Amino acid sequence: TVLNTMNKPSQSTMKVINFEDFLTEVRWTQDMTHLVTTGKDFLRLYHWPSLELHSQMPAHSDKIWSVVFAPTWSAARPTAPKRRVFALGSKDGTVSLWTLDGWFCVRALNLWSKPVRALSFSHDGTLLAAAGEHDHVDIKLSA
């Protein structure tokens, strides 16, 4: 797998990273300081714009299909503390909630026996929707 970052206005390649295994998801952190990639059962965090590997860790027992970051600020709750969390959905049927600061798993949900392929936080970050290879969407409190 090749990760190719491009400068959109000039359409020039900024950096290319080759991986021995395949990637299933690529996401920016909300503050654009890091790029997160997922694949087999790991999560990698790269500094931006250098794309130097900051850290890598196993996060699930099978492929990670989805990663989504919770909103850090909400107009509905302007005085609430900023939450720097993200969620992972995996082929193993679980969803896990992690802190971006320190990379701690704060909650794991064994939802299904089939893969979780899509995740989405509500606009205020209090709800997390999960979908995959089953006939419904699960919505859970994210806190």
Side-chain angles (χ1 to χ4, degrees):
T1 299
V2 176
L3 173 63
N4 187 351
T5 56
M6 297 184 71
N7 181 320
K8 188 174 178 182
S10 67
Q11 296 186 357
S12 61
T13 299
M14 296 177 72
K15 184 148 186 172
V16 175
I17 301 175
N18 292 303
F19 294 91
E20 292 178 16
D21 44 355
F22 69 94
L23 300 179
T24 55
E25 186 76 89
V26 177
R27 295 276 181 193
W28 299 103
T29 56
Q30 289 180 329
D31 60 5
M32 293 286 295
T33 59
H34 293 87
L35 186 68
V36 175
T37 66
T38 62
K40 186 177 170 186
D41 59 355
F42 59 84
L43 184 72
R44 290 183 180 132
L45 184 68
Y46 294 91
H47 290 286
W48 180 257
S50 69
L51 287 177
E52 291 178 28
L53 182 64
H54 175 271
S55 53
Q56 174 178 311
M57 61 177 259
H60 278 269
S61 64
D62 209 331
K63 291 179 185 79
I64 300 168
W65 288 111
S66 183
V67 60
V68 63
F69 292 90
T72 56
W73 182 84
S74 167
R77 298 174 33 202
T79 59
K82 290 184 178 181
R83 298 176 55 199
R84 291 178 42 93
V85 298
F86 62 96
L88 300 174
S90 176
K91 183 179 178 183
D92 62 16
T94 62
V95 173
S96 56
L97 194 63
W98 297 76
T99 63
L100 192 55
D101 303 315
W103 288 44
F104 296 108
C105 181
V106 294
R107 189 170 185 194
L109 304 167
N110 294 314
L111 295 179
W112 309 290
S113 59
K114 294 182 180 180
V116 177
R117 292 192 179 264
L119 297 169
S120 180
F121 279 101
S122 60
H123 71 283
D124 62 359
T126 59
L127 299 174
L128 177 63
E133 297 179 11
H134 39 280
D135 60 359
H136 64 281
V137 173
D138 242 329
I139 299 176
K140 304 284 187 193
L141 289 174
S142 65

